[in-house]
Structures are given as C-alpha cells and as structure tokens.
Amino acid sequence: MDMLIEKIKSEGIVLSPTVLKVDSFLNHQIDPQLMHEVGKEFADRFSRSGITKILTIESSGIAPAVMAGLHLNAPVVFARKRKSLTLVNDLVTASVYSFTKEETSEISVSKKYLSEKDNVLIIDDFLANGQAALGLADIVKKAGSGIAGIGIVIEKGFQNGGQLLREKGFRVESLAIIDSLENGMISFDNTAKN
Ligand code: G4P
Ligand code: NA
Ligand code: NA
C-alpha cells in the first residue's frame, strides 16, 4: 500500500534493529486520512469474505479497525487488556504472552458481542511474534464465531509471527511488510502485495 509505505519511509523512526517507532501516525498521534485508506484497503481485500464483525485489541488496533468497519459496514469490538469496571460478566478470555515484556496477560471480550453467527476479521497495528493475533483468534474460537482472516497494518517480516499464523492456516493480509531494520534503515519486502 503505497501511501502507507511512503508514510513509514518519511516518518518512521528505527529505534533498534527490531523496533520501528510510528508515533506520528499510528501509535500516538493518528493520521485519519491514512487510517481511512488503510480501512479501505482491508475492506477491498476482504470484500468477498462475508465479514460480520471486526475484532481488534486496545489501543493501537482501534483506529485501523474502526476504519475497516466503516468500509465493510461491520461493528468493531476491541479486546480489553485490563479488567473494566462495567465489563464483568460473561467474558471470553485468552492469554497472551509478550516476548518483549516477558509476561503473560489476559485479554477479554464480552460474550455479548461475538456469536456463532459471526464471521470475524481480526485487525491489529503491528505483527511481530503473532501472540496478540493468536490470542484474538483464540477468543473468536471460544465464542464459536468463524475467522475470515487477519489484517495487519505493519508486519515485521523478520520476526516469526507472519509465518506462525500462515502455517496455522490463517489468511494474513499485511499492508506493509518490513524486511529489515538493520543499520537504521527501513527496507520493505517488495515481493509482498504491498
Ligand atoms: P512482541 O512479543 O513481539 O513484542 O509482541 P507484543 O504483541 O507483545 O507487542 C507488544 C506491543 O508492542 C504491542 O503494542 C505491539 O503492537 C507493539 N509492537 C511490537 N513491535 C513493534 C514495533 O516494531 N513498533 C511499534 N511501534 N510497536 C510494536 P501494545 O503494547 O499492545 O500497545 P498499543 O499500542 O496497542 O496500546
Ligand atoms: Na502497539
Ligand atoms: Na497492537
């Protein structure tokens, strides 16, 4: 996706050989026009999948997920990372292990918003080790819904999440795939359907 790749090239900051900072348009400040296009691209790629619901995880997945929901005309649910005061009953939960933080956390969604009738598109901002996406997929399965696929804004192709999810049979659509962040340079996977 050209607009996204140009934005990453012009505003992305390489923090280390494994971490890309994109605070100016995705993780802190949000670029609505870009998110609108991101949502449109997800909608195009999953237009024939019969999506009835979008599932993401707070907080940075919400903006691209809402825009995809707008274009697919489907409601958006975000999994919560912390216990909510009002979200207490009938929760579907999953454990997510973070390699960065070296800890496992629980994520949850109310049963009310996912059913056997739903066909779900999972969306997230980054794909690194794939643990967040796996946790979301686990929640979808526990709720009895179907999974149409996983839409990712930025995949780090040099980490193992993409391979892990694809090997499990999930359809993964990443709008930008980064091959390497070595030597402070951002290089993209040009063979990917960007
Ligand atoms: P990990 O084990 O590979 O680190 O994956 P994990 O899912 O635990 O990632 C931890 C957080 O870091 C997630 O955000 C994820 O989106 C984000 N992340 C992973 N790699 C990168 C990267 O290269 N750049 C940026 N900017 N973020 C990355 P989170 O803690 O859930 O925060 P939120 O922003 O969604 O609130
Ligand atoms: Na994030
Ligand atoms: Na995220």
Side-chain angles (χ1 to χ4, degrees), residues 54-190:
I54 294 178
L55 179 63
T56 187
I57 180 165
E58 63 175 342
S59 56
S60 300
I62 297 175
V66 166
M67 290 303 181
L70 182 67
H71 289 284
L72 285 165
N73 195 26
V76 180
V77 180
F78 63 93
R80 290 188 181 262
K81 291 173 180 166
R82 278 162 295 276
K83 295 274 178 287
S84 148
L85 192 65
T86 54
L87 186 69
V88 283
N89 294 319
D90 298 324
L91 295 179
V92 192
T93 64
S95 303
V96 175
Y97 178 73
S98 169
F99 286 94
T100 340
K101 294 171 191 156
E102 293 182 344
E103 64 184 30
T104 300
S105 60
E106 292 282 304
I107 61 170
S108 50
V109 169
S110 168
K111 278 199 179 73
K112 201 173 159 184
Y113 300 118
L114 285 175
S115 83
E116 291 81 2
K117 289 175 190 155
D118 281 316
N119 190 34
V120 179
L121 170 60
I122 291 170
I123 291 210
D124 209 356
D125 57 336
F126 266 92
L127 176 56
N129 293 294
Q131 300 304 303
L134 278 179
L136 292 172
D138 193 22
I139 283 180
V140 175
K141 274 178 222 151
K142 285 175 177 168
S145 315
I147 302 178
I150 300 169
I152 298 291
V153 182
I154 304 174
E155 175 178 342
K156 292 188 288 182
F158 55 87
Q159 292 183 302
N160 67 6
Q163 190 185 351
L164 182 77
L165 296 173
R166 289 177 181 105
E167 276 174 3
K168 285 182 179 290
F170 293 111
R171 175 181 172 199
V172 181
E173 293 286 342
S174 300
L175 306 191
I177 301 180
I178 291 171
D179 256 353
S180 161
L181 293 172
E182 292 294 330
N183 306 314
M185 305 240 301
I186 309 171
S187 47
F188 293 88
D189 177 356
N190 294 315

